[in-house]
Each structure stands twice: as C-alpha cells, then as structure tokens.
Amino acid sequence: MYERKIIPNLNCGLDLIGEVLYGKWKIRLLWFINEGYQRPSELQRKIPDASRRVLNIQLKELEEHELIKKKIYPVVPPKVEYSLTEFGLTLVPVISALGNWGDEHEEHLRTVILKRFEL
C-alpha cells in the first residue's frame, strides 16, 4: 500500500477536513453508514462504481481517522459491520448541508461539469 513520505500541511480547518475526507467515496460511505448500510457488501451495492479494494482502503482510512468503527463478529464466515463513532456523527450535518447545496444548484453544477466532456 502507498505510504506517504511528506507530512501534510495541516495549518487550518480546511486542510484538516481535506486530509480526512479526501477520497472519491468517503463522503458517500459516511452517509450510507449513517443511513444504516453497515456491511461491506451493502456498501458495495450502494456504490457499484467503486472497486471493493478502493472501498476497503477508504473504509480503513475513515477508521484510522476515528470517524467509523469496525466490528468483527466471531462467526464463520466472518461478519463485519461498520458504524459511525460519536466523532463521525458530528460530520452528518456537514454532509447533509453539502448535499442540500448540491441539490439546490444541481442544474448549474451538472451543466458546468458536463462541459468538460464536450468535444
């Protein structure tokens, strides 16, 4: 796995939040775990464009940042569930606000994003 050699710049809140939430699927993972989708297979079904490997890496990073916790049940086959920590729950209103902003500006955002793909 990739190991960072340069210490990140963490001088302000935006740097910190960027470091914790940087990753294409992390915000969705947090949202879906909050909605009750706790098993890795459920999360994979909710985000079919993401590979299982990438989801596992991003779940591990969220766990390292203490936003989620992983519970492994001692059964065969192994059963794993994720849940938000108390710290992770503090992000739910922020993610909700971002989603609402995206919904309010959906038409404009869709237009400017799709411009990049026009030939």
Side-chain angles (χ1 to χ4, degrees), residues 27-38 42-43 46 82-84 89 92 95:
I27 291 175
R28 284 188 186 180
L29 286 167
L30 289 167
W31 187 256
F32 291 140
I33 291 169
N34 182 60
E35 286 187 329
Y37 299 96
Q38 301 174 328
E42 293 172 328
L43 294 167
K46 294 296 284 182
Y82 291 95
S83 60
L84 294 181
L89 286 168
V92 172
I95 295 170

Side-chain angles (χ1 to χ4, degrees), residues 85-119:
T85 62
E86 285 188 40
F87 183 53
L89 286 168
T90 64
L91 264 176
V92 172
V94 176
I95 295 170
S96 180
L98 285 170
N100 290 337
W101 183 84
D103 290 342
E104 289 174 23
H105 301 284
E106 179 179 357
E107 188 175 319
H108 178 75
L109 291 169
R110 191 179 312 280
T111 300
V112 297
I113 291 168
L114 290 176
K115 273 185 187 177
R116 294 183 11 203
F117 299 99
E118 293 176 1
L119 297 175

Side-chain angles (χ1 to χ4, degrees), residues 5 15 22 27 43 47 49 57 59 73 93-94 106 117:
K5 293 173 182 62
D15 291 338
Y22 177 75
I27 291 175
L43 294 167
I47 310 173
D49 294 341
I57 289 169
L59 285 164
Y73 293 90
V94 176
E106 179 179 357
F117 299 99

Side-chain angles (χ1 to χ4, degrees), residues 25-92:
W25 310 111
K26 285 184 180 179
I27 291 175
R28 284 188 186 180
L29 286 167
L30 289 167
W31 187 256
F32 291 140
I33 291 169
N34 182 60
E35 286 187 329
Y37 299 96
Q38 301 174 328
R39 307 278 312 276
S41 59
E42 293 172 328
L43 294 167
Q44 179 73 55
R45 280 193 291 277
K46 294 296 284 182
I47 310 173
D49 294 341
S51 72
R52 182 65 152 233
R53 179 182 174 275
V54 169
L55 287 182
N56 286 337
I57 289 169
Q58 293 193 0
L59 285 164
K60 184 175 190 275
E61 290 173 358
L62 290 170
E63 190 178 5
E64 288 171 354
H65 287 118
E66 299 178 0
L67 296 172
I68 63 173
K69 57 187 169 194
K70 177 181 183 178
K71 183 172 184 177
I72 302 172
Y73 293 90
V75 295
V76 176
K79 179 181 174 183
V80 174
E81 288 185 347
Y82 291 95
S83 60
L84 294 181
T85 62
E86 285 188 40
F87 183 53
L89 286 168
T90 64
L91 264 176
V92 172

